[in-house]
Every structure is written in C-alpha cells, then in structure tokens.
Amino acid sequence: MLFSTKAEYGVRLMVELGRQPDGKPVSLAAIAESENLPLSYMEHLVAKLRNADLVDSQRGAHGGYTLARPAAEIDMLEVVQALEDTIAPMECFHDTPEGRVSCSHQDDADHACATKLLWTRVQGGVNKALSGTTVAELVKFADGDVRRASLAAHS
Amino acid sequence: MLFSTKAEYGVRLMVELGRQPDGKPVSLAAIAESENLPLSYMEHLVAKLRNADLVDSQRGAHGGYTLARPAAEIDMLEVVQALEDTIAPMECFHDTPEGRVSCSHQDDADHACATKLLWTRVQGGVNKALSGTTVAELVKFADGDVRRASLAAHS
DNA sequence: CGCTTATCCGACTAGTCAGGTAGGATTTAA
DNA sequence: TTAAATCCTACCTGACTAGTCGGATAAGCG
C-alpha cells in the first residue's frame, strides 16, 4: 500500500468541504456520516489539516470546517503531505530543508547508492501526480455525473 | 514511507546480480556482506524474486543466483511487484485480472468515488517510473557512468 | 564417501504503527 | 443554559515489518 487511510479519508474530507458552494462551515459529523467514516478518527486528521493551514475551523454550535483557500488553489501534494508523516518512497530518503532529496546510504566515489535513481524517479512521479491535482478538480469529478451530494441535502 | 525495505533490499540485490559481467552465480552471502544487509532476511526476499522468475538459482557449492533475463530486459515494476505484496496506492484499489484499477468504494449513481481520479493518477506516475527503469540502468548508474545524467523522472 | 558450501523452508518473535476508541474540556449560537 | 460543535490527550489492539533460528536438501570436491 502506498498510502494509508489517513490520506484517503483526508482527501475525501477536503473534497466534501470543496463541495460546499457557499462559505458555510460543515461539521465533521456531517462529513463522517455522509462518507461513512469514523468521526473520532477524523478529528485527528482534520487537526493535521488545520495545522497545515488547509482548513479553517469555526467552533461552537453551527460551527465546522471550511477550506482555507479556494478549492482550485489547493493541490493534493499539500493535502497528502499534511496527512502522511512522510511521503518519501524509502526510509533512506529524508527531505532536506531545501527540499532536495538525499539518501542516507553512502554515495562515495567507488560505490554510488544504486537505488537512488529509482526512488528519485518514483517520488517525482508521485509528486507530479499529486501537485497536478486540485481539490476543485476532484470535486468536479465527483459531481460529474451526479446531481446532488448527500451532504448538500442535509444543509 | 511508500515502500518497505523489502523493495529497497531486493532492488539492491538485483543490481548486484546485474553487475556480474559473466553468467557466474553470486552467493547471497557475498551480496549480503557487500551491501551490509542481513543474510537470513535476504533469503526471504530472493525467494520471492525466484518465484517471480526474475532470478535463477544454482544450489550447492559454488552456487548462487543469476538474473533470469538480461539486465536490460528486467524493469523495476516487475521487481517491486514481486517483492511488495501490493503497490496499489490505496487499500480500495484491487487489481482486476485485466490489470485495470478499480475502487471497492461505491461508485453508484448517487455518489462517485471522489478520490479515484487522484489515486489513479498517482499509480500511473509510480508505474511509469518503475517500468521505465531497468536493472541495467541502475547498474550503470551505480558504476558511476551516468551519475550526472537524468536524476529527475523523465518521460 | 564425507565435508563444505550453498540454497531452501517454515516457525517464531520483538517492536512499531495504522486505525480506531474514549472521555472530557472548551467555545459559541440560539 | 443548553446543545452543538471543535479541541485535546491518552489509550487500545491487531497486523505487519524486519528480522532470527534451526534445520533440510543439494551440489561440488578431494
């Protein structure tokens, strides 16, 4: 498995939020019910999204969550990175502050890390796919042949 | 972490085998020592590679393993697929016999699986990176020739 | 024929973590 | 003031990763 359910659930959550046409906050309970996901588990996930400034929260009655930015300006690389602790292809890949990939295995003159080329390419492919997809796009896809979302029916 | 050490170790193993110029079998002990990896753990991995017809084995004294095919004809998608139990991006993706991806979540008329588009793209990116890289290429890279060549994912 | 080198094979295990639960504190609208 | 919601911390549990171990089998060699 490439990603865990954290990414799966979190992406669904973002899509549900992006689905809300006006700026009205949506409660987690509504999302959890509509996607049939455990509410208390989602609380952990949405906390990560909030820490990453991807969603805003409104506490109290009639509170909930909203996208922090327009859905078209949030790409999936941000979302997945916020949810998964790491999306590096291998353990030996640790992101440097400059954002470059590097490998902790030796990279000497006589013996290069043979797998570095491969994992770099894989990560490139994943990042490209993630950063090239926005929340808005997924919303459109989900709504494509569907008239009404179950969540919209509730509000 | 996208992949486990199974893929990491297994790819290293394949590269070591591909490094052997003649068809002489290489013992696991030699590889384990040269890559500084646990021998008894590697035995499990090489068994998977053998079952996938990626390596041939020669038992007994002076035995060992050889690539089942020329290094240029073995791509990393085969290798990684043999090692990892699944490389689907998400749990809900199960490969159908025809090789197409599908999602086990409901895709009914009233609620399309919003994340399907995303995971399909991700898997496409990973598969492309893996299938576009051969053992021979990694061998060449490790030997230092192509060190400055395409590190980034090419198309 | 043993002896050594190697692959093969299955059982077992410590540690980690994903996935989820539980309980309560805090904030806010009506 | 009460209900609806976020927020926060701790805890649990089964599965899986990353091994280890002991031995069976097979092949070359003197």
Side-chain angles (χ1 to χ4, degrees), chain A residues 111-112 114, chain B residues 9-22 24 26-28 30-37 42 65-67 135 138-139 142-143:
Chain A
H111 201 92
Chain B
Y9 295 177
V11 169
R12 287 176 188 274
L13 198 157
M14 292 297 282
V15 171
E16 284 296 316
L17 293 186
R19 210 164 209 170
Q20 203 66 7
D22 45 2
K24 289 267 178 63
V26 186
S27 78
L28 252 199
I31 294 178
E33 195 190 0
S34 108
E35 296 279 341
N36 205 32
L37 301 173
M42 300 286 283
Y65 296 92
T66 51
L67 293 181
V135 173
L138 293 186
V139 169
D143 284 344

Side-chain angles (χ1 to χ4, degrees), chain A residues 30-66:
Chain A
I31 294 178
E33 194 191 1
S34 107
E35 295 279 341
N36 204 30
L37 301 173
L39 168 62
S40 31
Y41 185 45
M42 300 286 283
E43 289 183 356
H44 296 307
L45 306 185
V46 81
K48 294 185 182 226
L49 294 171
R50 185 170 38 78
N51 289 336
D53 287 320
L54 293 171
V55 303
D56 288 332
S57 61
Q58 172 76 23
R59 299 184 67 164
H62 299 107
Y65 297 93
T66 50

Side-chain angles (χ1 to χ4, degrees), chain A residues 98-114:
Chain A
E98 304 87 49
R100 308 181 59 231
V101 292
S102 72
C103 178
S104 59
H105 282 260
Q106 72 259 24
D107 197 10
D108 316 331
D110 66 325
H111 201 92
C113 179

Side-chain angles (χ1 to χ4, degrees), chain B residues 10-122:
Chain B
V11 169
R12 287 176 188 274
L13 198 157
M14 292 297 282
V15 171
E16 284 296 316
L17 293 186
R19 210 164 209 170
Q20 203 66 7
D22 45 2
K24 289 267 178 63
V26 186
S27 78
L28 252 199
I31 294 178
E33 195 190 0
S34 108
E35 296 279 341
N36 205 32
L37 301 173
L39 168 62
S40 32
Y41 185 44
M42 300 286 283
E43 290 183 356
H44 295 306
L45 306 186
V46 80
K48 295 187 180 222
L49 295 171
R50 186 170 38 78
N51 289 334
D53 286 319
L54 292 171
V55 303
D56 288 332
S57 61
Q58 172 76 25
R59 299 183 67 161
H62 299 108
Y65 296 92
T66 51
L67 293 181
R69 279 178 278 146
E73 295 173 16
I74 302 177
D75 69 63
M76 286 303 151
L77 182 58
E78 302 177 81
V79 174
V80 172
Q81 265 175 343
L83 292 163
E84 303 282 342
D85 289 337
T86 170
I87 63 166
M90 294 301 310
E91 190 188 356
C92 69
F93 265 62
H94 44 68
D95 294 336
T96 64
E98 304 87 49
R100 306 182 63 232
V101 292
S102 73
C103 179
S104 60
H105 281 260
Q106 71 259 24
D107 199 9
D108 317 333
D110 67 325
H111 203 93
C113 179
T115 61
K116 186 176 176 178
L117 175 63
L118 179 62
W119 305 134
T120 303
R121 286 183 180 174
V122 169

Side-chain angles (χ1 to χ4, degrees), chain A residues 3-22:
Chain A
F3 297 122
S4 68
T5 58
K6 274 186 271 195
E8 170 75 18
Y9 294 177
V11 169
R12 287 176 188 272
L13 197 156
M14 292 297 283
V15 171
E16 285 296 319
L17 293 186
R19 209 164 211 170
Q20 204 66 6
D22 46 1

